[in-house]
């Protein structure tokens, strides 16, 4: 007797016969049970500035102990980490790093947070969850860097241990998600709402890809949804596309499109809108939404000036939301 | 019949056989019911995982949807 199993971790609900693996490549039906092939087997381990995630409202100028395994449940044509995200665990070079070692290494290296990142932490859910529990108990923050393509039940189990999430909202149409990413939009929007309701600090990143999602009518629904559903204090990062993976034929996003997107979102009422992947752009900085003074000056991932004191604007006292 | 003619006919025969094989495989894949996957050699899959030094770990969030009798 062999069992067909259904993975219900993400919206794909892969049905797997004996020996088959899911769309993520790292969850497999072995002996009638679903097994993960990436528990405690990260293929990427780095110490990054937290600004790289990007998270601009979480412990500025600190470092995040960052881990990732092989696999992803989406297949974005522009993936920047396709060498690990689109490969099974057998084809990546992996470390033996159980949760206890992650925490010890993070503390030893002076990191304030552990970030589950690079590929897609949803596919290494069990490893992330166990590590996050230990990190929380050790006083470290947990950061979820994700496309948020996850079902409600696992997300609800994870939320109590996650402090901040940097979420890719890739577009605002089902067509974009289906054609560009091999997924669907609705579960992502649901996951964002769940995280917000459960007290996870969220920052959203939208990669603007020339000819794919760079028109004003593509960008407008996105910031309107963020403003109306999550609130104007949720930071939104418009990020520059760089030719990668299957979209090497496209040019990098013109700076003026990113600048325009930021201006439109601010004019629509969002308080914190950033431009990413263009160092020295004014959109790298944080400004007070009340007196418009400079709060945090950044170049790339470096913080050069910080005028937030005890979570407030140093000059006018307006609270600045985030984890400070 | 000259030697080069025999070689030509023999290569033609091999080519024809290959073409028939490819067409049969294509027809078979079209006629199979949707969702039917080729049988996976589980022993090979497990061996590849072990060879890569990977130890499978029990996953969360899944359910059994069908128990199948092995087909001989």
């Amino acid at each position: 007797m062999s069992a067909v199993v259904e993975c219900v971790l993400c919206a794909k609900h892969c049905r797997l016969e004996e020996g088959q693996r899911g769309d993520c490549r790292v969850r497999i039906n072995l002996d009638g049970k679903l097994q993960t092939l990436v528990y405690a087997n990260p293929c990427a381990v780095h110490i990054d500035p937290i600004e790289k995630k990007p998270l601009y409202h979480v412990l500025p100028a600190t470092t995040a102990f960052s881990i990732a395994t092989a696999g992803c449940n989406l297949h974005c044509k522009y993936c920047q980490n396709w060498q690990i995200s689109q490969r099974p665990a057998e084809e990546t070079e992996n470390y033996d790093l159980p949760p206890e070692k992650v925490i010890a290494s993070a503390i030893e290296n002076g990191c304030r947070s552990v970030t589950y990142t690079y590929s897609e932490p949803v596919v290494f859910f069990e490893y992330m969850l166990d590590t996050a529990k230990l990190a929380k108990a050790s006083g470290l923050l947990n950061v979820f860097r994700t496309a948020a393509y996850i079902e409600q039940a696992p997300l609800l189990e994870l939320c109590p241990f996650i402090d901040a999430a940097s979420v890719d909202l890739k577009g605002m149409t089902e067509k974009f998600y289906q054609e560009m990413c091999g997924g669907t939009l609705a579960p992502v929007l649901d996951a964002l709402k769940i995280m917000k309701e459960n007290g996870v600090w969220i920052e959203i990143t939208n990669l603007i890809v020339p000819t794919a999602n760079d028109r004003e009518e593509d960008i407008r629904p996105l910031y309107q949804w963020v403003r109306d559903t999550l609130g104007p204090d949720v930071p939104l990062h418009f990020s520059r596309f760089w030719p990668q993976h299957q979209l090497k034929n496209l040019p990098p996003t013109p700076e003026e499109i990113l600048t325009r997107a930021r201006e439109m979102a601010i004019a629509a009422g969002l308080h914190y809108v950033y431009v990413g992947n263009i160092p020295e752009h004014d959109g790298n900085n944080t400004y007070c939404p009340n007196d418009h003074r400079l709060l945090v000056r950044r170049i790339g991932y470096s913080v050069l000036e910080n005028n937030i004191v005890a979570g407030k604007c140093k000059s006018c006292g307006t609270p600045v939301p985030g984890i400070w | 019949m000259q030697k080069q003619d025999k070689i030509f006919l023999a290569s033609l025969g091999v080519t024809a056989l290959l073409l028939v094989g490819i067409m049969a495989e294509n027809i078979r894949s079209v006629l199979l019911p949707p969702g039917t996957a080729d049988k996976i050699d589980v022993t090979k899959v497990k061996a590849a995982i072990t060879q890569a030094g990977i130890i499978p770990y029990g996953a969360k969030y899944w359910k059994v949807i069908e128990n199948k009798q092995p087909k001989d």
Side-chain angles (χ1 to χ4, degrees):
Chain A
M1 192 80 85
S2 67
V4 178
V5 305
E6 181 176 342
C7 178
V8 292
L9 180 63
C10 85
K12 292 200 168 166
H13 283 223
C14 298
R15 291 181 170 212
L16 309 171
E17 298 208 10
E18 180 70 29
Q20 270 190 324
R21 55 184 80 197
D23 196 46
C24 62
R25 297 182 172 94
V26 295
R27 298 169 81 79
I28 185 170
N29 177 355
L30 289 175
D31 302 321
K33 291 174 186 159
L34 190 71
Q35 308 272 334
T36 165
L37 300 179
V38 290
Y39 189 94
N41 279 326
C43 59
V45 181
H46 297 282
I47 293 169
D48 290 334
I50 198 153
E51 284 76 13
K52 188 178 173 185
K53 301 304 153 193
L55 283 174
Y56 282 4
H57 290 234
V58 179
L59 303 180
T62 62
T63 50
F65 194 83
S66 307
I67 54 173
T69 73
C72 183
N73 51 354
L74 295 179
H75 310 293
C76 302
K77 290 180 178 171
Y78 50 74
C79 183
Q80 294 177 22
N81 293 310
W82 61 271
Q83 293 95 333
I84 59 171
S85 72
Q86 304 302 313
R87 291 222 168 119
E90 296 95 312
E91 291 180 16
T92 54
E93 214 169 295
N94 305 319
Y95 302 91
D96 176 26
L97 203 67
E100 299 78 17
K101 274 194 186 174
V102 174
I103 306 309
S105 303
I107 293 170
E108 193 182 310
N109 287 286
C111 298
R112 299 278 306 276
S113 55
V114 178
T115 302
Y116 314 95
T117 180
Y118 304 132
S119 50
E120 174 50 68
V122 168
V123 307
F124 58 91
F125 180 83
E126 297 78 8
Y127 180 37
M128 169 171 55
L129 183 65
D130 287 355
T131 309
K133 286 177 181 173
L134 286 181
K136 199 167 184 71
S138 308
L140 294 166
L141 255 56
N142 285 301
V143 171
F144 186 29
R145 172 79 185 100
T146 180
Y149 202 64
I150 182 171
E151 282 288 25
Q152 183 173 339
L155 182 58
L156 283 171
E157 185 180 6
L158 184 66
C159 275
F161 306 100
I162 296 295
D163 299 281
S166 170
V167 180
D168 277 329
L169 182 53
K170 295 165 188 287
M172 278 307 277
T173 62
E174 289 292 349
K175 187 172 179 280
F176 185 88
Y177 265 83
Q178 282 163 18
E179 291 179 359
M180 196 62 85
C181 309
T184 49
L185 169 65
V188 179
L189 299 182
D190 289 343
L192 277 163
K193 284 188 255 181
I194 290 169
M195 283 191 258
K196 177 75 178 168
E197 286 161 10
N198 283 272
V200 176
W201 173 257
I202 300 171
E203 298 193 26
I204 292 173
T205 297
N206 175 233
L207 185 79
I208 298 185
V209 183
T211 73
N213 63 352
D214 62 342
R215 300 168 308 164
E216 289 192 6
E217 53 265 42
D218 298 319
I219 298 163
R220 193 175 301 114
L222 191 138
Y223 62 70
Q224 287 176 340
W225 185 88
V226 172
R227 179 196 62 196
D228 298 341
T229 312
L230 304 176
D233 280 338
V234 169
L236 174 59
H237 302 251
F238 289 114
S239 192
R240 184 186 216 183
F241 160 85
W242 200 257
Q244 288 278 348
H245 193 30
Q246 297 169 351
L247 293 184
K248 289 199 180 100
N249 55 318
L250 294 180
T253 318
E255 186 174 332
E256 48 280 16
I257 289 182
L258 294 152
T259 304
R260 176 77 187 128
R262 177 170 178 260
E263 286 167 356
M264 290 187 334
I266 290 172
L270 282 188
H271 295 156
Y272 306 98
V273 187
Y274 300 101
V275 168
N277 283 348
I278 302 185
E280 298 197 53
H281 190 285
D282 195 41
N284 291 175
N285 303 326
T286 303
Y287 291 91
C288 175
N290 182 44
D291 67 8
H292 307 292
R293 291 197 185 202
L294 179 73
L295 290 175
V296 183
R297 188 156 74 92
R298 304 179 184 86
I299 290 185
Y301 306 137
S302 303
V303 173
L304 306 180
E305 186 180 342
N306 187 348
N307 297 311
I308 298 172
V309 179
K312 292 177 181 173
C313 169
K314 192 162 81 176
S315 85
C316 74
T318 299
V320 183
I323 303 170
W324 308 108
Chain B
M1 192 182 282
Q2 291 191 346
K3 192 182 171 188
Q4 60 263 43
D5 292 336
K6 284 181 187 170
I7 293 171
F8 174 72
L9 283 175
S11 346
L12 203 63
V14 170
T15 310
L17 273 175
L18 279 172
L19 275 174
V20 167
I22 291 167
M23 284 166 70
E25 179 61 29
N26 283 342
I27 291 166
R28 191 184 74 89
S29 68
V30 169
L31 294 179
L32 278 174
T36 307
D38 284 331
K39 194 158 174 60
I40 291 172
D41 187 339
V42 182
T43 315
K44 265 190 184 172
V45 170
K46 286 182 179 172
I49 291 168
T50 308
Q51 196 178 12
I54 293 169
I55 301 166
Y57 185 90
K60 299 182 88 168
Y61 296 104
W62 60 279
K63 57 189 178 189
V64 173
I65 54 169
E66 190 185 345
N67 278 312
K68 277 188 163 180
Q69 292 288 351
K71 296 175 193 163
D72 64 343

